[in-house]
Amino acid sequence: MAIIPNKNPMPVLDAKLRATNFKEVALGYSEETAVAEAERCIHCKNRPCVAACPVNIQIPEFIEKVKERDFEGAYQIIAKSSSLPAVCGRVCPQETQCEGKCTLGIRFEPVGIGRLERFVADYHLKNAKEAPAKVESNGKKVAVVGSGPAGLTCAGDLAKKGYEVTVYEALHTAGGVLVYGIPEFRLPKDIVAQEVDTLKQLGVKVETNVVIGKTLTIDELFEEMGFDAVFIGSGAGLPNFMNIPGEGLKGVYSANEYLTRANLMKAYSEKADTPISKGGKVAVVGGGNVAMDAARTALRLGAEKVYIVYRRSMEELPARAEEVEHAIEEGIDFRLLNNPVEILGYNNPENPRDPKNGCVEGIKCIKMQLGEPDENGRRRPIAIEGSEFILDVDTVIMAIGTSPNPLIKDTTKGLEVNKWGGIIVNEENLTSREGVYAGGDVVTGAATVISAMGAGKVAAKGIDDYLSK
Amino acid sequence: MYKIVSRKELNNSVTQLEVLAPLVANKAKPGQFIILRVDEMGERIPLTVAGTNPEKGTVKIIFQVVGGTTEKLNHVMEGEHIQDFVGPLGTPSELEGLEKVCIVGGGVGCAIALPIAEALNEMGAHVTSIIGFRSKDILILEDEFKTCSDKLIVTTDDGSYGYHGNVTGPLKEMLENGETFDEIITIGPLIMMKFVVATAKQFNVPCTVSMNPIMIDGTGMCGGCRLTLNQDGKRVTKFACVDGPDFNGYEVDFDEAMSRSRMYSDFEKHAYEETCNLFKKEVQ
Ligand SMILES: Cc1cc2nc3c(=O)[nH]c(=O)nc-3n(C[C@H](O)[C@H](O)[C@H](O)COP(=O)(O)OP(=O)(O)OC[C@H]3O[C@@H](n4cnc5c(N)ncnc54)[C@H](O)[C@@H]3O)c2cc1C
Ligand SMILES: Cc1cc2nc3c(=O)[nH]c(=O)nc-3n(C[C@H](O)[C@H](O)[C@H](O)COP(=O)(O)OP(=O)(O)OC[C@H]3O[C@@H](n4cnc5c(N)ncnc54)[C@H](O)[C@@H]3O)c2cc1C
Ligand code: SF4
Ligand code: SF4
Ligand code: FES
């Protein structure tokens, strides 16, 4: 059979149109396209795609089922390894994971594994009628801290084994970054809500508005609430700033604040009370998924011009390739090899009550060039002396990473962290405290949905082994 | 959902609510706050825990109607519910070892200061309280402060009651007359705190301020509540929701904080007017 060199394209909303609304950009494969894409897989003998998936989804097997049009069968295969396929199919950086290793990709385009996974998961969400069966309780209680992908996965796996699981979430909605960070146009919130509902049907209790370390401590979960084990999946933590002059000006946001206002607090809706600056010219500093999401959100909120300011070049951009492509199509202006050195503010000395005083007026950047590769093989950016210039903007969004949140560490004796503040765990994701497991961004620093999910799975297995002893 | 157990209007723009939230009631210490949302489309706003009753499982909050959300909250009646209520957040005030303290509260900031004064009084510390208001008709919590203070001075800007002038007046007079304090703790509008700090500095008295920047999550995730401290010649970014809300007043960059607190002024005026119009319509 002849090899079909190219992936079946993903239907997307028109770039001009979508830049003005929050509807999902990628529309998903039809049954016909999915089957056609499945037929591209050559079922190569050593199936490198499986090893490149952090949770080792049995990719050729599920693809085979798609080929046979047994979509529910395909779902059941994926579900053995992943509890959030509708999410991962959408947001995994497939080009560096499963698809990056696909044999077909050596000469042609790889099989669209993520797109197929999304198709199968959506099919299941739409067509599955039965609620998942509740497993009889084994009488043991586990508390999960945080309802991001790590926590949700851990909770789901344990519930399926009969544990009584309670998820504690600090915010008013469950889902972690999936609800407050990743925007609607990339991951509809309905999908996350459905995944949370599925967990509830399995018997998992979700308690929002509880901050562990404040409302309850880890010790109290054991001593007063009677939990037998705890999983900590509290995420990446506090946003970093660059420590350059002007970061205290009005109009400077962290990406977390900007995205939280837009997503969780629904600032895009006319009905929401939450304020956010709309319109104007926006510079987003950073080059990861978070930066792309902030930039594209700003555009949708009505910005007339949005820049990505990143200190390395296109090749080093850490964001998913597809998101970068979409951002370019939508008209985001990439100012690469530029590094901000100062944020400039408006000041009217004549009138100290001028409401524009203290507002952002521009961002001063310096041009960079790439030097020798560093220890990680990434070429280090070096400033070109005297090349400063000013971008005229009124909003600056910092998307340059996070540092761990001290809330849980500071209130839990004997919980060891590394020098960056990340919780230390062993290969079972057990922390230095008996019965306390951890995983996801709180351990690794900001990473990916699928790796957080994988960590939740490993911990669930560790907890099961520990409590079955 | 969280039930409003009691509701009392302290003056025509300040209201006290008792909210049923047993987990928060169990834990909250002076200086800590909660974040609430009135309804599904509502904003998250921080309010200080003004007192707790762990037996009843209730938390007292006192708020001033200043904008859309507080206006909405003011329309929630006894027996009704609000959507979300999370806490206690922030670091409790550090009161240990204090023997002689001056509490300086301004306006609704007095509600935030009250539990601190009460805690100090219970610890056996000597408490002097200066509470200031624009005028007599918006005076709140006088009796409560009387009960927990060894000395109470009420000031009004317009002289309609007590000392004529703002809170720094009597503070300065006391310090000039040789009065000493282990610490001054001040809570109120930023501009007032800025001047209290300046006064304290003149007499070398340590001064703690309670900062109330705009917040969203209150758990150290968004960075919206950040402020700048000047520590040993360096500018350091701190998050009020996890590192505060109490800070060493000598270090806080008040000018930046004042500018940032006005970030959404225009938007909020608009939201306030809309909410008001909405209620007007409902009434009609
Ligand atoms: C804007 C953005 C875009 C991204 N895009 C992608 C992408 O395209 N692809 C991808 O693979 N990854 C992406 N990521 C990264 C990915 O979302 C994270 O790696 C992943 O969500 C981490 O999962 P987690 O479960 O460890 O933590 P989180 O998802 O951060 O969840 C942690 C949860 O714990 C709660 N919590 C924190 N502290 C407490 C406490 N003390 N008590 C109770 N609850 C608490 C938090 O409120 C939160 O809900 C993106 C991240 C962001 C911010
Ligand atoms: C830790 C903390 C504790 C607080 N405790 C109390 C309390 O016990 N009682 C109380 O009445 N208020 C308290 N506040 C202030 C309260 O949160 C704000 O008044 C409230 O968020 C206003 O919401 P709104 O939607 O009604 O008004 P908005 O429409 O949001 O604002 C109306 C006006 O108030 C200003 N404003 C908004 N937020 C703040 C803020 N955080 N601080 C100062 N000015 C603000 C706006 O710039 C605007 O001019 C506290 C704030 C913090 C951060
Ligand atoms: S979970 Fe992610 S890496 Fe694994 S197969 Fe699916 S898209 Fe690929
Ligand atoms: S590597 Fe590619 S071609 Fe080989 S089994 Fe996996 S998806 Fe199919
Ligand atoms: S309120 Fe979000 S970090 Fe403090």
Side-chain angles (χ1 to χ4, degrees):
Chain A
M1 200 174 78
I3 286 175
I4 306 153
N6 292 326
K7 267 195 220 181
N8 283 284
M10 177 63 112
V12 291
L13 283 182
D14 173 71
K16 278 227 181 66
L17 198 72
R18 73 186 189 227
T20 60
N21 65 41
F22 278 81
K23 295 211 180 89
E24 186 169 20
V25 169
L27 299 171
Y29 278 169
S30 65
E31 292 188 12
E32 276 53 49
T33 321
V35 173
E37 185 62 28
E39 276 166 357
R40 292 184 62 232
C41 170
I42 55 170
H43 291 270
C44 54
K45 230 179 19 243
N46 53 352
R47 23 192 287 145
C49 54
V50 177
C53 166
V55 295
N56 306 124
I57 290 181
Q58 298 301 302
I59 294 166
E61 280 79 0
F62 100 73
I63 291 183
E64 185 62 35
K65 292 282 183 201
V66 175
K67 234 190 260 183
E68 293 166 9
R69 290 185 164 264
D70 176 7
F71 304 130
E72 186 54 31
Y75 178 81
Q76 292 308 329
I77 293 174
I78 298 175
K80 279 189 206 144
S81 323
S82 167
S83 46
L84 301 169
V87 176
C88 295
R90 286 177 165 79
V91 307
C92 257
Q94 286 97 4
E95 67 272 18
T96 58
Q97 297 180 355
C98 53
E99 295 180 19
K101 288 280 152 46
C102 171
T103 307
L104 217 56
I106 301 173
R107 303 228 351 242
F108 310 104
E109 280 184 8
V111 176
I113 302 170
R115 294 171 183 184
L116 286 172
E117 182 177 335
R118 164 180 167 169
F119 167 78
V120 168
D122 287 358
Y123 179 89
H124 173 81
L125 285 177
K126 222 186 294 148
N127 297 294
K129 280 164 210 86
E130 286 156 63
K134 223 164 148 171
V135 182
E136 202 180 319
S137 163
N138 66 11
K140 291 179 182 141
K141 289 173 68 182
V142 180
V144 168
V145 182
S147 61
L152 292 180
T153 303
C154 186
D157 278 20
L158 288 168
K160 285 181 200 151
K161 291 200 168 97
Y163 290 92
E164 289 175 26
V165 184
T166 307
V167 177
Y168 291 105
E169 168 56 48
L171 294 172
H172 57 256
T173 311
V177 169
L178 307 183
V179 296
Y180 75 69
I182 303 180
E184 179 79 14
F185 56 83
R186 212 147 70 74
L187 178 62
K189 301 304 154 235
D190 275 356
I191 290 175
V192 185
Q194 285 189 41
E195 299 287 2
V196 175
D197 278 345
T198 310
L199 281 189
K200 288 185 181 159
Q201 287 167 353
L202 282 168
V204 173
K205 277 193 225 132
V206 180
E207 301 272 359
T208 51
N209 293 330
V210 178
V211 185
I212 300 301
K214 290 285 174 191
T215 318
L216 292 165
T217 63
I218 302 273
D219 289 308
E220 285 165 340
L221 290 176
F222 284 107
E223 288 157 19
E224 284 167 32
M225 313 287 288
F227 287 102
D228 301 295
V230 173
F231 173 74
I232 305 172
S234 55
L238 300 92
N240 293 338
F241 287 88
M242 293 185 78
N243 285 322
I244 56 174
E247 284 182 316
L249 292 167
K250 290 185 275 189
V252 181
Y253 294 85
S254 80
N256 274 6
E257 179 184 356
Y258 194 77
L259 290 169
T260 302
R261 284 184 187 275
N263 299 326
L264 183 71
M265 306 306 296
K266 313 181 183 99
Y268 60 83
S269 159
E270 285 298 322
K271 287 195 220 96
D273 291 345
T274 293
I276 196 163
S277 51
K278 301 180 182 173
K281 298 192 184 111
V282 180
V284 179
V285 181
N289 285 321
V290 184
M292 298 307 135
D293 284 346
R296 296 171 70 200
T297 298
L299 198 68
R300 283 161 173 77
L301 286 173
E304 55 191 83
K305 181 90 200 166
V306 183
Y307 302 100
I308 290 272
V309 177
Y310 180 59
R311 64 199 178 114
R312 301 178 200 250
S313 70
M314 206 54 149
E315 266 157 48
E316 287 86 11
L317 271 183
R320 286 183 78 215
E322 190 178 308
E323 308 314 331
V324 177
E325 249 167 61
H326 284 164
I328 294 172
E329 285 166 17
E330 288 164 14
I332 307 281
D333 190 343
F334 282 70
R335 298 300 179 100
L336 304 172
L337 287 166
N338 286 315
N339 202 28
V341 288
E342 185 180 350
I343 302 168
L344 308 168
Y346 179 88
N347 183 26
N348 178 359
E350 310 273 290
N351 178 9
R353 304 198 136 262
D354 187 335
K356 273 182 26 216
N357 282 345
C359 288
V360 172
E361 202 179 32
I363 182 165
K364 190 197 261 181
C365 303
I366 188 161
K367 292 191 176 144
M368 312 292 278
Q369 62 190 18
L370 291 178
E372 294 301 304
D374 61 13
E375 57 272 25
N376 301 322
R378 292 218 299 181
R379 292 178 64 191
R380 199 142 42 97
I382 305 166
I384 304 171
E385 229 172 286
S387 66
E388 287 93 342
F389 67 101
I390 290 168
L391 271 184
D392 173 21
V393 295
D394 41 43
T395 301
V396 174
I397 302 171
M398 291 290 176
I400 52 164
T402 49
S403 327
N405 188 321
L407 268 187
I408 292 178
K409 178 199 75 168
D410 287 353
T411 50
T412 313
K413 273 212 199 80
L415 186 70
E416 277 171 27
V417 299
N418 62 27
K419 68 174 173 207
W420 299 281
I423 298 180
I424 300 176
V425 294
N426 72 6
E427 64 286 350
E428 290 196 294
N429 281 358
L430 174 66
T431 67
S432 54
R433 277 279 304 262
E434 190 186 341
V436 180
Y437 293 72
D441 283 1
V442 71
V443 168
T444 55
T448 57
V449 172
I450 187 74
S451 58
M453 226 193 74
K457 276 192 117 47
V458 171
K461 177 150 189 320
I463 291 173
D464 183 39
D465 289 347
Y466 167 66
L467 294 180
S468 316
K469 259 191 226 142
Chain B
M1 300 288 269
Y2 299 80
K3 188 173 171 180
I4 308 298
V5 180
S6 77
R7 179 177 182 280
K8 186 170 143 198
E9 288 179 11
L10 300 185
N11 69 29
N12 59 18
S13 75
V14 177
T15 301
Q16 171 180 307
L17 297 178
E18 261 186 299
V19 185
L20 189 64
L23 288 177
V24 184
N26 261 332
K27 268 291 160 58
K29 296 214 174 62
Q32 290 189 296
F33 62 94
I34 56 92
I35 284 188
L36 62 76
R37 232 170 34 129
V38 178
D39 57 30
E40 194 45 47
M41 290 312 269
E43 198 180 349
R44 294 170 65 96
I45 63 159
L47 295 171
T48 304
V49 173
T52 56
N53 185 333
E55 283 84 58
K56 278 167 62 191
T58 57
V59 177
K60 196 157 76 180
I61 50 176
I62 297 175
F63 65 95
Q64 174 156 36
V65 177
V66 294
T69 307
T70 41
E71 171 71 20
K72 248 191 208 170
L73 184 60
N74 205 23
H75 286 260
V76 185
M77 294 297 139
E78 201 168 294
E80 295 182 341
H81 294 77
I82 53 173
Q83 186 77 27
D84 298 295
F85 193 87
V86 55
L89 301 168
T91 317
S93 301
E94 270 179 48
L95 306 177
E96 217 162 278
L98 295 179
E99 286 169 6
K100 196 153 183 269
V101 181
C102 183
I103 305 276
V104 185
V108 73
C110 297
I112 308 181
L114 180 63
I116 298 173
E118 286 174 341
L120 284 165
N121 182 47
E122 244 163 68
M123 283 165 47
H126 184 280
V127 179
T128 303
S129 299
I130 307 175
I131 57 174
F133 301 88
R134 243 178 302 119
S135 73
K136 178 169 189 271
D137 48 303
I138 57 165
L139 169 66
I140 55 169
L141 303 173
E142 185 184 12
D143 291 341
E144 284 82 348
F145 268 100
K146 221 176 245 161
T147 317
C148 64
S149 311
D150 297 273
K151 184 172 174 190
L152 174 67
I153 300 166
V154 181
T155 72
T156 52
D157 295 355
D158 65 0
S160 52
Y161 187 77
Y163 181 98
H164 186 169
N166 60 37
V167 290
T168 43
L171 177 66
K172 200 164 177 185
E173 282 169 23
M174 272 191 268
L175 291 167
E176 270 165 358
N177 291 335
E179 185 67 280
T180 58
F181 299 107
D182 296 342
E183 190 164 309
I184 296 170
I185 300 176
T186 180
I187 304 166
L190 287 165
I191 185 79
M192 177 200 100
M193 294 198 284
K194 182 179 167 173
F195 283 109
V196 171
V197 169
T199 309
K201 232 177 197 166
Q202 268 177 37
F203 295 89
N204 255 323
V205 187
C207 185
T208 298
V209 296
S210 176
M211 299 300 286
N212 43 22
I214 292 165
M215 293 188 177
I216 306 179
D217 59 305
T219 66
M221 180 271 283
C222 75
C225 63
R226 68 186 181 279
L227 47 93
T228 307
L229 301 186
N230 294 307
Q231 282 178 337
D232 309 321
K234 268 210 246 61
R235 288 176 65 76
V236 184
T237 300
K238 292 278 178 191
F239 296 127
C241 70
V242 284
D243 301 316
D246 291 356
F247 290 95
N248 176 351
Y250 287 18
E251 295 176 350
V252 173
D253 180 339
F254 277 102
D255 294 335
E256 182 187 283
M258 283 191 267
S259 167
R260 283 186 65 77
S261 75
R262 289 189 294 267
M263 186 141 159
Y264 294 110
S265 305
D266 290 347
F267 187 97
E268 275 146 1
K269 248 181 252 136
H270 176 70
Y272 182 55
E273 279 156 18
E274 277 201 343
T275 311
C276 288
N277 288 336
L278 218 67
F279 283 120
K280 266 186 226 141
K281 264 191 225 137
E282 271 172 23
V283 172
Q284 283 164 6

